[in-house]
Amino acid sequence: MVTDVDIARWRLRSQHLVGSGPTSAEGVVRSLLGVQAENPAQSAWAVAARTAAPDPSDLGAALDEGRVVRVHVLRSTWHYVTAEDLVWLVELTAPGAGRPAAQQLAEVYDDAELDRLSGLVVDALAGRHLTRPQLAALLVEAGEQVPGHELMLLMAHLELRALVCSGPVVDGAHSYVLVADRVRAPRRLDRDEGLAELALRYATGHGPVTAEDLAYWASLSLPDARAGLTAAADGLATFEHDDRTFWHPPDQEPPTGPTEPAAHLLQILDETYRGYATASRWVLDAAGVVPRGRESAMGMALVDGQLVAAMKRSVTARQVVFELAPYASWHDDHLVPVERAAARYGAFLAREAVVDLR
């Protein structure tokens, strides 16, 4: 019988956190289809940790060159996706992912005002990249005062219409470009094709997964998630666990035991946790020792696919300190693999890694 621990180990392998990984950040993003990128500083490690040789310049180069984009898609937050997957993913998931921004914008602007602001932004971006402050200044010149939060919502609205996406980083700041300038020949799929491809690639890059996981991850209705998995069924296999159906690539079985590397220090937004519906993500706590409810930790320490401590990361000029608050699942022999995980992270940031066990 497959257990929660088996599924947790399996997912680490599917997501390239154990075993061999892609050789580039672009390969990671393509394999997982989407990687949550709300926090750029920590999501850079979320991508790099899955590569064979983590390189701090890898993701940055892919973003600057437009091979990978950071954009609102899948859910109502930023994700990294490849440029080739951008348009069809936005068209498929925007109805659900765009609802929160649309509701907030409707409280401030009517349709005519929103169209006018959208047109001003699109015209301003023609053939160039601009940061949000630069766009705000141009809107002021055009007689439009758009406060910071509302401008963020406006840009998310335009991203979810497949009109704008991330451009190169400018002095450490996120910039925007037109999708038409970033993606010259967009790939498009009809809805049925898109649901099938989404289901197949999500189950491959995150599997084993449930229909509820897919619905959450891509802001789909549960019937649409089930329809996608059914359409992709020829390329997938299933098993039953805890009264739920789990989907995964065929000819795969869970790892037979602990995997390497044994430990990982990751943000709470990492795909290992945030990439699944609430009930499903708790395979990371098979012993049931982690408090449920509001998430207060910025990060997590995993050993053998299980949550062993909450983690807070602090970066200084010379050090990266990982402050750990252990759960009841913590054992003394976890410290060595966690220190190895910290050393990998520290090497990526070019800083000495310190584990502070509270």
Side-chain angles (χ1 to χ4, degrees):
M1 292 179 61
V2 176
T3 67
D4 280 358
V5 172
D6 292 330
I7 294 172
R9 290 170 175 165
W10 196 341
R11 287 175 173 175
L12 291 182
R13 187 181 66 194
S14 297
Q15 291 199 23
H16 308 299
L17 282 167
V18 299
S20 59
T23 58
S24 68
E26 182 181 358
V28 169
V29 174
R30 180 177 292 107
S31 178
L32 271 66
L33 186 57
V35 177
Q36 188 163 334
E38 183 176 336
N39 184 326
Q42 295 205 47
S43 59
W45 175 243
V47 174
R50 292 166 161 86
T51 62
D55 179 351
S57 66
D58 187 10
L59 178 62
L63 289 165
D64 284 345
E65 295 166 12
R67 293 178 281 114
V68 171
V69 294
R70 180 173 176 258
V71 66
H72 281 78
V73 67
L74 295 168
R75 298 188 302 286
S76 56
T77 188
W78 281 283
H79 286 78
Y80 297 127
V81 297
T82 63
E84 67 201 49
D85 288 321
L86 170 62
V87 173
W88 74 267
L89 270 180
V90 168
E91 291 177 343
L92 182 65
T93 65
R99 194 170 295 119
Q103 290 172 341
Q104 292 181 67
L105 285 169
E107 296 173 359
V108 184
Y109 305 109
D110 62 29
D111 290 345
E113 291 170 327
L114 187 57
D115 286 345
R116 183 175 66 254
L117 292 174
S118 298
L120 288 170
V121 170
V122 170
D123 289 345
L125 288 172
R128 59 177 173 172
H129 59 269
L130 297 170
T131 64
R132 202 181 301 161
Q134 289 172 326
L135 284 167
L138 288 173
L139 288 171
V140 169
E141 290 178 11
E144 300 288 351
Q145 292 279 353
V146 183
H149 180 68
E150 290 169 16
L151 182 54
M152 181 189 71
L153 292 173
L154 175 62
M155 299 312 296
H157 168 74
L158 293 173
E159 291 174 4
L160 287 157
R161 292 174 61 194
L163 291 174
V164 305
C165 64
S166 65
V169 174
V170 179
D171 296 328
H174 178 94
S175 77
Y176 296 91
V177 297
L178 295 181
V179 168
D181 292 337
R182 231 13 169 194
V183 186
R184 299 293 184 177
R187 183 182 179 214
R188 284 189 159 88
L189 302 175
D190 68 33
R191 185 164 182 77
D192 290 343
E193 292 173 330
L195 287 172
E197 175 147 350
L198 175 69
L200 178 63
R201 291 178 62 183
Y202 174 64
T204 301
H206 290 72
V209 299
T210 67
E212 290 79 6
D213 293 331
L214 176 57
Y216 161 78
W217 190 75
S219 301
L220 299 175
S221 69
L222 189 54
D224 275 347
R226 288 171 174 158
L229 288 165
T230 298
D234 286 348
L236 297 171
T238 64
F239 64 85
E240 300 297 317
H241 170 68
D242 197 21
D243 296 324
R244 290 176 291 168
T245 301
F246 285 78
W247 300 74
H248 61 91
D251 304 322
Q252 278 193 8
E253 293 184 356
T256 56
T259 51
E260 287 293 333
H264 300 85
L265 295 170
L266 302 165
Q267 61 171 336
I268 201 71
L269 302 178
D270 191 86
E271 291 294 313
T272 54
Y273 182 88
R274 190 67 75 209
Y276 308 92
T278 302
S280 187
R281 67 179 59 138
W282 288 114
V283 298
L284 297 174
D285 179 33
V289 299
V290 179
R292 306 301 196 252
R294 183 173 178 83
E295 298 159 354
S296 59
M298 290 299 294
M300 54 188 180
L302 298 175
V303 174
D304 191 22
Q306 295 296 294
L307 288 159
V308 297
M311 181 269 286
K312 180 179 179 181
R313 188 196 76 161
S314 302
V315 182
T316 67
R318 295 184 179 182
Q319 292 184 328
V320 53
V321 178
F322 300 98
E323 182 181 310
L324 302 186
Y327 300 122
S329 50
W330 177 270
H331 298 294
D332 289 345
D333 58 2
H334 289 158
L335 182 59
V336 170
V338 166
E339 287 178 334
R340 289 174 182 156
R344 294 195 304 274
Y345 205 151
F348 175 75
L349 296 176
R351 286 165 171 79
E352 176 192 5
V354 176
V355 174
D356 182 4
L357 191 61
R358 295 299 176 95

